Amino acid sequence: MENATTTLYFHLVPLVVFLPLAGLVINLLIGKKLGEVVSGTIASLASGAAFVVACLLMLSLRSNPEAVVVPFAEWIRVGGLAVDWAFRVDTLSVTMMLVVSGVGTLIHIYAIGYMHEDVRLNEDPGRFTRFFIYLNLFIAMMMILVSAESYLMTFVGWEGVGLCSYLLIGFWFEKGKEGTGNAIAAKKAFITNRVGDFGFLVAMFMIFLQFGTLSFSELAHVSAPVGALGTVVVAGIGLFLLLAVTGKSAQLPLFVWLPDAMAGPTPVSALIHAATMVTAGVYLVARSAPLFELSPVGPQAVAWVGTLTALFAATIAVGQYDIKKVLAYSTISQLGFMVAAVGMGAYVAGMFHLVTHAFFKALLFLSAGSVIQGVEHGHHHDPHADHYAEFDPQDMRNMGGLAGKMKVTTAVYIIGALALAGVAPLAGFFSKDEIVAFAFGKNPVMFTMLLLAAFFTAFYMARQVWMVFFGKARTTAAQGARENPLVMTIPLMVLAVLSLVGGALNLPHVETLGKWLEHTMEGLHPAEFNWLVAGISLAVAFTGIAAGWFFYGRRSWQPGQSDPMKKLLGPLFTAFERKWWVDEIYNALLLQPYKDLSAILAEPVDQKLIDGCANGLGRMTGWFSRGIGVLQNGLVRSYALVILAGVAAILGYLILR
Amino acid sequence: MPVITLQLVIFITVAALAIASALGMLFSRNTVYSALLLVFNFTTVAFLYFMMGAPFIGLAQITVYAGAIMVLFLFVIMLLGTEQIARIEQLSAQSVAAVLLGLVIITEAVVVFLLRNPTSLVVTSGGDVVSVNEIGGLLYSQYLLPFEITSFILLVAVVGAIILTKQEKPAGKAVEGEVKK
Amino acid sequence: MNTIPMSYYLVLSAVMFTLGAIGVIIRRNPLVMFMSLELMFNAANLTFVAFSNAFGNANGQIFVFFVMVVAAAEVAVGLALIVAIFRTRHSIDIDLMNTLKN
């Protein structure tokens, strides 16, 4: 540590991984004996301690902003490949660490209250500890992902969070549609991510092939290779990294897993599928900025994928009725914004939106969880309800008028919704505006599409807020809803405050975050604040909200009513509602042929040909054995005869030789 | 072809008797006859031992084999009353094969020992006699360890035979009986 | 001349040995099978003594002595086995003792 005057804490960086792991181990070994509160507290403390370490790292970086690599252990040394287990502390990774552990800790605390109810509603209280074990494992893996010094180590975290995502989506694996719905959703997420991981792997191979290293520090200063092959390789790296990003960050065309991932408990949706894991793709692009700069192909593709996803997912969100599905498509859309930003080279804007989005989307999801449990509570305490009939506490058509019953939740939800819609001066406004402003200068088509997406964002959030919280209660369950305990609402309030003031991180012309990240990423394009663009995007946000009010707020939604937009848009709305038939298209184009191929391989090829060969061999062995089995007749005398024959034969051979 | 001497005549006679008694043992239906014919076979071989100047082995052959062992055989035969076994032969073809194979082996032996490469070695009759002294000396010097091991083998055989033939009583009763004793 | 060619003894021994082997194979009575084994031992002993004589060396006779001891031990155990088997199965037909087949 060259700077002796200030205390530097860089050597503490392994703790961001090992503290959550310690919490995991404690809960794994004795969690069940500790009771819910203690085990939840341990998990939260583990995550909180990681947050403290991240804060210490941030303080160290303030006085000593250059990136520090903390070696931890030798890992792989094969030929020219040398990958060590080393942690990279720089402004980018610490930003991610702060978000992950900070938001993660709040969600841990919230989950103590939420899961208490959830495990009882699902009739298996023993699963409470397991949930926190998974959560801590997730935090540890996410920390590996963001603190890695090399692509390979990032990949370990990348896979690790994928695993946690799988485990948590399938947390109630025996529930869901037909008893397998949640398991299928988990499987879908995992397999879709495999496609992205394939991209990651190929990108890694190409990076190693081209540059001979996987270390971020060494890759930061590579220059573009000359020659046609080099150009292709560099472009390929960008495109395969993009494939990885589309998988993890749920972009087109691999976004289909994220809406289904809502099968997981709501804190999971908030932590993994909104605030942290899905932003790993954005982080990856930011981290790979030196490589993306080498070729224009990769960044352009990234930007277009992001923009298209932002608009596409926003339209779908308009047609959804499930409170969490709306948020899921909104997440995809917002991730599209971030990916578009980093693709255009606006790394600061992308990271800024990542951070603020983590705040308000976590807030929205947690509030949605609060709403769901409130409604579920109402359903369970309704003496007239048919408790055996299917009741969906997530369907917004079953809600309405919750504002009076769940005051805190309503307030924070509206804050989150406004932040997401991009209303100044909330967090979302600044970050989204920065992206849109960047697009304004770069590409008018993208700019228009992003604005359109922003309009839809404001519209579907307004629709949701009015459907859920205002009007008249449409079911007895909604009438009986009640506010949740403080352990759940306090994290909501903290997140609400963050959503309110999060924009201060990177105010125009102050640019705290921009200067902070500048130490890591060289040649950042300065963010430009444009009053015209700000005005346009604000106007778009308000238009969206007004439209939402016009359709959903003016007249209260009646029970059994169909969506008022349906009359207006007709088949287009059906398309929104049915998610543009993407699942069906994938099913027809990819899954069905694959299943048919599998059927061919299974029935005629495997069962007849291969099994036939195998069984035939078995049967032949059986015949042969039965043939020579006759020899073992248990009669000593026969054995003796054979020995005698052997003697005669050997003697005969010796004589006749 | 050696000259026909008295020795040779005696040898051939005794050898013929030995083979005849062996054949008789083989094909006798009555086990007691088999045992007695085997005793006779042992005696003829013992006679050959005497001829070859091995009186100790010859006497041991008669006392141990013809005496002790064959008496044991007869004892068991009579104890079990199994002089004869039902004449149901499952493996008659096997018997034919065995006889044929035996003939083949004998032919082979004759071919090797007599025709192909007859050894020049000769067995002297009435020559030097290996005394008991000499055998005893060897046993207690050069072959001491094997000799001791044979004693152990005999011990094991005795113990094994006792254990194998011990009447098995029902476990519970045996314990009770022993307690009462 | 008081000599007899070695070959004669060897042929005699081979014939006796083979007869013993045939006996083992064709007889179903384990007692007779044992006797046949003794016959085979005997045939081997004969060659030992013959060679001992031919080479003027007593070692061969020592081996015969050992063979006799082992044969005695073998007969003791073997007969005990037969008695034990007869007790449990009330027969000593060797062809009925094929429970280990297949």
Side-chain angles (χ1 to χ4, degrees):
Chain A
M1 309 292 166
E2 54 276 6
N3 191 342
T5 50
T6 0
T7 323
L8 296 175
Y9 299 101
F10 292 131
H11 56 283
L12 290 179
V13 62
L15 285 181
V16 298
V17 174
F18 286 105
L19 284 171
L21 279 181
L24 181 166
V25 170
I26 293 172
N27 269 336
L28 193 63
L29 295 180
I30 54 172
K32 290 221 163 163
K33 296 198 188 78
L34 291 177
E36 291 190 356
V37 175
V38 181
S39 115
T41 310
I42 288 174
S44 309
L45 280 178
S47 173
F51 180 66
V52 171
V53 173
C55 287
L56 290 174
L57 292 172
M58 180 186 74
L59 290 177
S60 309
L61 276 179
R62 281 176 72 89
S63 60
N64 193 11
E66 287 315 306
V68 173
V69 174
V70 181
F72 184 68
E74 191 175 293
W75 188 20
I76 298 175
R77 290 276 163 88
V78 183
L81 177 69
V83 182
D84 284 351
W85 203 266
F87 293 92
R88 182 178 174 86
V89 185
D90 60 20
T91 49
L92 180 60
S93 69
V94 169
T95 309
M96 287 299 289
M97 283 183 213
L98 286 169
V99 171
V100 171
S101 55
V103 176
T105 307
L106 290 174
I107 292 172
H108 270 76
I109 297 168
Y110 171 92
I112 297 175
Y114 182 89
M115 293 310 289
H116 175 81
E117 286 290 317
D118 197 44
V119 291
R120 277 162 186 78
L121 288 171
N122 284 296
E123 290 148 7
D124 185 4
R127 242 179 252 195
F128 185 85
T129 316
R130 191 194 295 178
F131 182 81
F132 282 94
I133 292 172
Y134 289 163
L135 272 197
N136 270 354
L137 179 65
F138 170 77
I139 298 281
M141 285 301 169
M142 195 68 203
M143 286 301 188
I144 291 178
L145 198 164
V146 298
S147 66
E149 200 334 80
S150 64
Y151 276 101
L152 200 57
M153 193 172 152
T154 301
F155 189 67
V156 172
W158 189 270
E159 291 297 309
V161 293
L163 170 70
C164 293
S165 164
Y166 168 77
L167 291 172
L168 284 164
I169 294 168
F171 190 71
W172 298 110
F173 54 84
E174 74 277 41
K175 303 275 166 65
K177 200 174 156 197
E178 290 168 10
T180 54
N182 289 2
I184 287 173
K187 201 172 70 182
K188 185 170 173 184
F190 202 69
I191 291 172
T192 313
N193 267 301
R194 285 280 79 71
V195 181
D197 297 343
F198 158 77
F200 198 133
L201 278 173
V202 175
M204 266 204 292
F205 298 153
M206 290 169 90
I207 291 168
F208 182 72
L209 191 73
Q210 184 65 41
F211 304 110
T213 178
L214 291 173
S215 154
F216 291 136
S217 318
E218 289 171 43
L219 285 169
H221 306 293
V222 292
S223 51
V226 286
L229 186 64
T231 321
V232 171
V233 169
V234 169
I237 290 172
L239 291 176
F240 278 111
L241 279 178
L242 171 62
L243 184 60
V245 170
T246 57
K248 195 58 94 195
S249 289
Q251 299 295 295
L252 280 171
L254 296 181
F255 70 95
V256 287
W257 65 271
L258 189 58
D260 290 25
M262 296 302 129
T266 306
V268 173
S269 311
L271 178 61
I272 300 186
H273 304 122
T276 54
M277 183 188 87
V278 289
T279 60
V282 182
Y283 168 78
L284 184 71
V285 178
R287 181 53 90 195
S288 310
L291 294 177
F292 275 107
E293 299 288 328
L294 298 179
S295 155
V297 179
Q300 258 177 17
V302 172
W304 274 110
V305 165
T307 312
L308 284 171
T309 311
L311 181 57
F312 186 75
T315 58
I316 298 177
V318 171
Q320 297 305 304
Y321 300 109
D322 184 315
I323 184 168
K324 283 177 76 180
K325 285 268 164 76
V326 174
L327 293 177
Y329 282 104
S330 161
T331 303
I332 297 171
S333 166
Q334 296 303 307
L335 287 166
F337 272 94
M338 297 176 218
V339 170
V342 292
M344 288 184 291
Y347 297 109
V348 174
M351 289 302 294
F352 184 28
H353 198 53
L354 189 159
V355 175
T356 57
H357 175 258
F359 295 154
F360 58 68
K361 192 49 72 61
L363 169 64
L364 285 172
F365 265 116
L366 295 186
S367 315
S370 177
V371 166
I372 293 164
Q373 283 206 339
V375 172
E376 194 134 8
H377 177 267
H379 178 62
H380 276 261
H381 289 79
D382 174 11
H384 306 297
D386 179 5
H387 289 279
Y388 296 98
E390 280 287 315
F391 173 74
D392 188 357
Q394 306 193 4
D395 195 325
M396 298 193 290
R397 286 170 293 195
N398 291 337
M399 300 176 187
L402 293 178
K405 287 150 198 115
M406 307 178 77
K407 291 203 170 61
V408 181
T409 306
T410 310
V412 296
Y413 203 99
I414 291 173
I415 291 173
L418 288 177
L420 174 56
V423 173
L426 281 77
F429 165 73
F430 291 103
S431 53
K432 195 188 285 180
D433 180 63
E434 208 173 314
I435 296 172
V436 176
F438 207 93
F440 179 68
K442 275 234 159 181
N443 190 327
V445 181
M446 281 187 194
F447 171 72
T448 318
M449 288 171 76
L450 288 177
L451 267 188
L452 207 51
F455 167 77
F456 278 118
T457 308
F459 179 72
Y460 64 67
M461 283 320 290
R463 169 179 182 260
Q464 190 176 38
V465 166
W466 265 297
M467 273 179 87
V468 173
F469 295 105
F470 298 105
K472 277 200 284 287
R474 285 184 287 280
T475 57
T476 48
Q479 261 165 4
R482 53 113 214 226
E483 186 57 274
N484 282 296
L486 278 179
V487 68
M488 286 169 71
T489 47
I490 286 179
L492 293 181
M493 294 182 232
V494 176
L495 283 167
V497 172
L498 287 171
S499 304
L500 277 173
V501 302
L505 274 178
N506 200 27
L507 286 176
H509 304 300
V510 184
E511 286 161 20
T512 327
L513 189 69
K515 287 179 180 143
W516 170 252
L517 288 175
E518 217 166 32
H519 298 295
T520 304
M521 290 181 284
E522 290 158 19
L524 275 180
H525 307 272
E528 43 188 307
F529 188 72
N530 190 324
W531 284 104
L532 173 65
V533 176
I536 292 175
S537 79
L538 206 53
V540 159
F542 279 119
T543 317
I545 294 171
W549 172 81
F550 182 78
F551 288 110
Y552 300 97
R554 206 159 42 103
R555 274 191 307 272
S556 177
W557 185 306
Q558 299 305 316
Q561 180 195 342
S562 73
D563 199 297
M565 292 292 290
K566 208 165 206 163
K567 270 180 254 158
L568 189 69
L569 294 177
L572 190 58
F573 186 80
T574 313
F576 295 169
E577 201 177 353
R578 305 298 307 273
K579 308 154 193 174
W580 293 102
W581 295 280
V582 168
D583 277 337
E584 285 81 356
I585 291 169
Y586 282 6
N587 202 26
L589 282 185
L590 298 171
L591 289 186
Q592 204 51 50
Y594 185 73
K595 280 182 188 160
D596 293 345
L597 180 67
S598 306
I600 291 172
L601 288 178
E603 176 59 24
V605 177
D606 184 61
Q607 301 221 320
K608 300 246 167 70
L609 189 71
I610 296 176
D611 283 11
C613 288
N615 292 345
L617 275 178
R619 227 169 283 137
M620 266 169 62
T621 314
W623 289 331
F624 186 66
S625 311
R626 240 161 280 138
I628 46 177
V630 171
L631 291 180
Q632 197 198 351
N633 52 9
L635 299 174
V636 181
R637 300 191 297 144
S638 301
Y639 304 164
L641 177 71
V642 176
I643 295 174
L644 192 67
V647 171
I650 291 173
L651 280 178
Y653 169 73
L654 290 175
I655 290 166
L656 300 175
R657 190 169 46 150
Chain B
M1 197 67 195
V3 195
I4 296 175
T5 59
L6 179 61
Q7 306 282 346
L8 193 62
V9 172
I10 293 172
F11 171 79
I12 288 171
T13 315
V14 173
L17 283 173
I19 291 171
S21 59
L23 280 170
M25 181 212 82
L26 269 190
F27 294 107
S28 160
R29 279 287 143 211
N30 192 320
T31 321
V32 179
Y33 293 166
S34 291
L36 290 175
L37 282 166
L38 189 61
V39 171
F40 184 75
N41 176 278
F42 285 160
T43 319
T44 56
V45 175
F47 183 83
L48 290 177
Y49 290 162
F50 286 125
M51 261 176 73
M52 288 186 284
F56 174 73
I57 296 299
L59 278 172
Q61 173 91 355
I62 291 174
T63 51
V64 176
Y65 256 132
I69 294 180
M70 291 321 295
V71 167
L72 195 59
F73 264 105
L74 285 169
F75 176 72
V76 170
I77 292 166
M78 290 169 180
L79 173 77
L80 302 182
T82 52
E83 292 87 348
Q84 284 181 330
I85 281 186
R87 301 192 59 157
I88 307 158
E89 181 56 88
Q90 299 178 347
L91 302 167
S92 49
Q94 175 167 322
S95 301
V96 175
V99 172
L100 287 179
L101 272 178
L103 287 178
V104 169
I105 291 178
I106 290 171
T107 317
E108 284 167 346
V110 169
V111 167
V112 172
F113 297 138
L114 288 181
L115 309 178
R116 183 73 61 87
N117 44 358
T119 165
S120 56
L121 286 174
V122 289
V123 175
T124 317
S125 309
D128 287 343
V129 169
V130 178
S131 69
V132 181
N133 269 353
E134 208 176 326
I135 290 179
L138 275 172
L139 271 184
Y140 284 101
S141 58
Q142 199 180 342
Y143 292 98
L144 184 59
L145 182 64
F147 185 66
E148 292 300 333
I149 292 175
T150 52
S151 67
F152 189 71
I153 290 174
L154 284 173
L155 178 67
V156 170
V158 169
V159 173
I162 290 171
I163 290 179
L164 281 171
T165 49
K166 210 180 71 176
Q167 271 295 0
E168 294 264 342
K169 291 175 191 141
K173 272 185 189 170
V175 174
E176 262 179 42
E178 275 172 25
V179 170
K180 274 176 191 166
K181 275 175 197 167
Chain C
M1 293 294 276
N2 300 347
T3 58
I4 298 163
M6 187 71 193
S7 310
Y8 292 8
Y9 276 99
L10 291 178
V11 170
L12 173 61
S13 170
V15 171
M16 274 169 59
F17 187 89
T18 312
L19 288 176
I22 292 172
V24 170
I25 294 169
I26 66 172
R27 295 303 300 259
R28 281 182 300 152
N29 188 330
L31 287 161
V32 181
M33 288 170 75
F34 264 113
M35 291 183 209
S36 303
L37 284 180
E38 298 305 320
L39 190 62
M40 288 160 82
F41 274 128
N42 218 27
N45 285 351
L46 187 61
T47 43
F48 269 124
V49 175
F51 275 109
S52 166
N53 179 296
F55 289 119
N57 186 333
N59 284 350
Q61 297 191 20
I62 304 286
F63 273 99
V64 173
F65 175 79
F66 286 140
V67 170
M68 280 180 182
V69 172
V70 172
E74 171 242 330
V75 165
V77 175
L79 290 178
L81 273 173
I82 290 171
V83 171
I85 290 169
F86 183 75
R87 271 210 202 107
T88 53
R89 311 199 39 155
H90 304 289
S91 164
I92 54 169
D93 189 341
I94 201 83
D95 282 0
L96 300 181
M97 298 175 205
N98 57 356
T99 45
L100 283 180
K101 73 177 172 186
N102 295 332

